[in-house]
Amino acid sequence: MSTETLSGAAELRAFLHGLPGVDQVGAEERAARLATRSIKTTAKAEAIDLAISMVDLTTLEGADTAGKVRALCAKAAHPDPADASAPRVAAVCVYSDLVDVAVRALAGTGVGVASVATSFPSGRAPLEAKLADTRAAVAAGAAEIDMVIDRGAFLSGDYAKVSDEIVAVKEASGDAHLKVILETGELATLDNVRRASWLAMRAGADFIKTSTGKVSPAATLPVTLVMLEAVRDYRASTGRQVGVKPAGGIRTTKDAIKYLVLVNETAGPDWLAPEWFRLGASSVLNDLLMQRRKLATGVYSGPDYFTLD
């Protein structure tokens, strides 16, 4: 390893460990306090539509088929077939070998196609394999790449390796936006969440994302609070805005609205748009649609009125 490389690794470590520590009790108390906020009926209707527009509708199972992806894409473009006013979701997220299916199904709808790459969900593969997966997804038409960091490298303090991989995947992504998954459930502390957030942003992430959805705990309000503080402070420091995506464990309209309140009160209203905030929670979409219909008609429709994901 060259002297220059050693110097860069030392600078990165010094920067990350020089970040202010997170008051875990304070973060948990603030997140819990914001979660109790109530909103009026008119604001709730707007919040539901906003939340729907932020959903990344996802299927990431070994048994995924082209037919399942096409059905998911149809739902993404027209979440409520009985109500054309229902907004479309932000994106459909699939494995790289199904990107072309999603791209064809979503042509002209305005719904983006995202693909997990870099040996999702473990992140354990040679860099060459991660880059090949990324390039294949982009070549097939993916507009967004969701990469997962090497948590083993991060937790062992090899921050330079994690950073270098993000830089390389960002380059391989070309014009596609890069969402960097921290897998916060494995990072152990909120201090590590803050460090990983800053590391990813410095390396070029367009979004920072909590989780793969394959590890428990996935997204939590305190973790997302710390990440929102990081993107807010990063923009204040650099002028560049980075998005945030909590993923996993968000199942109800009440959950989704709690996250919207958290965004508004922590990062600010500039982040209240699909370009800057996403919900990685396919199961929440049906509940949002049911609550939306109830507000419009006064009648609560059961889940059978909407397709299951």
Side-chain angles (χ1 to χ4, degrees), residues 44-183:
K44 184 176 181 181
E46 294 174 356
I48 287 173
D49 277 5
L50 180 58
I52 291 172
S53 75
M54 292 172 164
V55 168
D56 279 356
L57 206 54
T58 302
T59 184
L60 296 170
E61 303 297 335
D64 284 345
T65 64
K68 182 179 181 181
V69 170
R70 283 192 288 267
L72 199 68
C73 290
K75 182 171 184 176
H78 305 287
D80 186 349
D83 184 355
S85 70
R88 61 180 181 260
V89 305
V92 167
C93 185
V94 296
Y95 279 115
S96 57
D97 62 322
L98 289 166
V99 166
D100 61 333
V101 176
V103 168
R104 289 195 300 270
L106 291 170
T109 66
V111 178
V113 176
S115 179
V116 294
T118 65
S119 191
F120 178 95
S122 70
R124 306 218 63 82
L127 178 59
E128 293 77 10
K130 297 178 180 182
L131 297 179
D133 195 22
T134 300
R135 293 187 186 108
V138 172
E144 302 174 7
I145 295 295
D146 288 29
M147 76 165 286
V148 59
I149 67 168
D150 181 339
R151 282 86 72 198
F154 180 88
L155 291 170
S156 64
D158 194 351
Y159 303 130
K161 178 181 179 183
V162 180
S163 179
D164 289 348
E165 287 201 347
I166 295 171
V167 170
V169 174
K170 173 66 175 174
E171 182 178 357
S173 298
D175 293 333
H177 281 195
L178 179 62
K179 303 205 285 292
V180 177
I181 307 168
L182 309 180
E183 199 66 288

Side-chain angles (χ1 to χ4, degrees), residues 203-246:
D206 298 299
F207 260 77
I208 50 175
K209 177 179 171 182
T210 61
S211 327
T212 62
K214 306 295 186 182
V215 171
S216 182
T220 68
L221 289 169
V223 158
T224 307
L225 170 67
V226 170
M227 292 169 66
L228 287 165
E229 289 176 340
V231 297
R232 177 199 66 198
D233 296 345
Y234 182 79
R235 188 179 74 169
S237 174
T238 68
R240 186 169 79 90
Q241 187 163 334
V242 175
V244 174
K245 177 181 173 180

